[in-house]
Amino acid sequence: MKGYDAEEFGKRYAERYDGLYGEAMADETNLSVETLAELANGGKVLEFAIGTGRVALPLAAKGLEVHGIEASEEMVAKLREKPGGQDIPVAIGDMSKTQVDGKFDLIYLVFNTIFNLTTQEAQVRCFQNASKHLSNSGVFVIETVLPDFSTYVEGQRMRGSWNTMEASRFEIAIQDQVEQTVAFQRIIISEDGIKMNPHFMRYAWPSELDLMAQIADLKRRERWAWWDKTPFTTESKSHISVYGRASK
Ligand SMILES: C[S@@+](CC[C@H](N)C(=O)[O-])C[C@H]1O[C@@H](n2cnc3c(N)ncnc32)[C@H](O)[C@@H]1O
């Protein structure tokens, strides 16, 4: 989607992010924090795309030293407003390139955010950047949904989210099977006019992510379907993958 860059998400969602996902994802957030804390094992932690601190803040509240990389100043400004949000060092930049000092025992990238890197090259660079920042015994954790195009017809899907007396919200998604991208427009039509909300992502299957890990000298150690460590099967709708150094 021409013109869509890494800062776009924050510009459009920073104000609304916690309202949309804070309460609604509270159970998932708590469960992920428990599992991530276990994987960190008391060590140093780095979140790629830390956002407004949904996961990082409760992790830091457990006594872990948490750092972040984030593309959007607007998202980080929201993190800074929250209790403990001033204490987390965050480097503003692209998670596929930005370097911070030190090595980390846990690096994590959750909520499908690897898909925010919209080319295969950028996703590979992201694994390589994680690998550069990992301690020898450290792990890199990725969480994504499994792409599901069963409701798409000829590579497209349009679906409504809600109607009121004054407005309608619907989403148009257009897939490019060659680039593995989906361009979304979430559109609100109301008596006040039309509001467009674009989103663009590149999806990758778990097997492709494993290959990216190999390129980055990492090897998969675990794959669960969910944060409660449910086994991953052909029925799974999401995966949590844990990578460690291949040469170890
Ligand atoms: C869905 S939010 C997830 C935020 C947080 N990790 C969470 O789980 O609540 C996606 C985040 O990725 C950030 N982002 C998008 N592209 C990025 C990039 N290339 N480098 C760093 N951050 C990026 C966005 O600004 C946004 O904060």
Side-chain angles (χ1 to χ4, degrees):
M1 189 181 256
K2 214 168 166 211
Y4 191 93
D5 59 25
E7 290 89 46
E8 195 65 43
F9 184 96
K11 280 183 205 144
R12 297 196 176 258
Y13 282 95
E15 280 307 319
R16 303 181 282 143
Y17 190 81
D18 292 324
L20 285 171
Y21 303 115
E23 213 32 58
M25 289 178 72
D27 289 347
E28 169 176 344
T29 302
N30 291 339
L31 195 58
S32 63
V33 167
E34 290 307 316
T35 306
L36 289 169
E38 197 184 301
L39 290 167
N41 197 20
K44 271 176 74 175
V45 180
L46 174 63
E47 179 168 0
F48 278 4
I50 192 169
T52 63
R54 178 181 67 88
V55 178
L57 284 170
L59 211 47
K62 283 183 168 292
L64 290 160
E65 182 184 332
V66 182
H67 297 237
I69 296 177
E70 168 57 51
S72 163
E73 305 253 13
E74 290 89 345
M75 294 292 277
V76 176
K78 291 291 165 193
L79 162 74
R80 298 290 185 227
E81 286 171 8
K82 298 181 191 173
Q86 296 285 347
D87 306 330
I88 297 184
V90 179
I92 298 291
D94 184 330
M95 61 189 164
S96 70
K97 299 183 214 159
T98 303
Q99 311 244 348
V100 295
D101 287 340
K103 298 282 182 198
F104 296 85
D105 304 296
L106 167 69
I107 302 176
Y108 64 94
L109 174 55
V110 294
F111 202 7
N112 309 314
T113 304
I114 183 99
F115 297 168
N116 283 48
L117 295 166
T118 56
T119 63
Q120 188 187 53
E121 291 76 11
Q123 292 176 353
V124 169
R125 272 202 313 272
C126 181
F127 270 84
Q128 289 171 323
N129 202 25
S131 184
K132 261 185 218 155
H133 287 88
L134 265 193
S135 67
N136 266 341
S137 56
V139 288
F140 178 41
V141 178
I142 291 231
E143 177 214 347
T144 83
V145 294
L146 260 79
D148 175 9
F149 297 105
S150 56
T151 58
Y152 282 52
V153 178
E154 294 181 4
Q156 302 193 7
R157 185 190 67 193
M158 185 168 118
R159 68 178 180 200
S161 330
W162 47 258
N163 282 325
T164 65
M165 293 289 275
E166 298 79 25
S168 287
R169 183 188 190 272
F170 59 98
E171 179 187 86
I172 300 175
I174 300 180
Q175 180 201 20
D176 177 331
Q177 286 195 51
V178 176
E179 298 296 331
Q180 294 181 200
T181 57
V182 184
F184 297 91
Q185 265 299 355
R186 291 153 186 166
I187 303 166
I188 297 176
I189 298 184
S190 73
E191 291 170 342
D192 299 330
I194 300 174
K195 186 156 173 27
M196 311 295 283
N197 249 317
H199 186 57
F200 188 52
M201 53 157 240
R202 178 184 188 274
Y203 57 90
W205 308 101
S207 52
E208 189 186 3
L209 296 175
D210 289 351
L211 201 55
M212 292 183 189
Q214 273 190 48
I215 294 169
D217 187 34
L218 298 174
K219 188 168 188 243
R220 179 160 55 81
R221 299 259 175 83
E222 301 280 0
R223 172 159 288 143
W224 303 303
W226 195 233
W227 291 108
D228 58 3
K229 302 187 183 172
T230 318
F232 182 79
T233 69
T234 50
E235 309 297 316
S236 300
K237 306 263 186 266
S238 57
H239 70 107
I240 318 291
S241 298
V242 181
Y243 299 96
R245 198 156 293 295
S247 44
K248 211 184 148 257

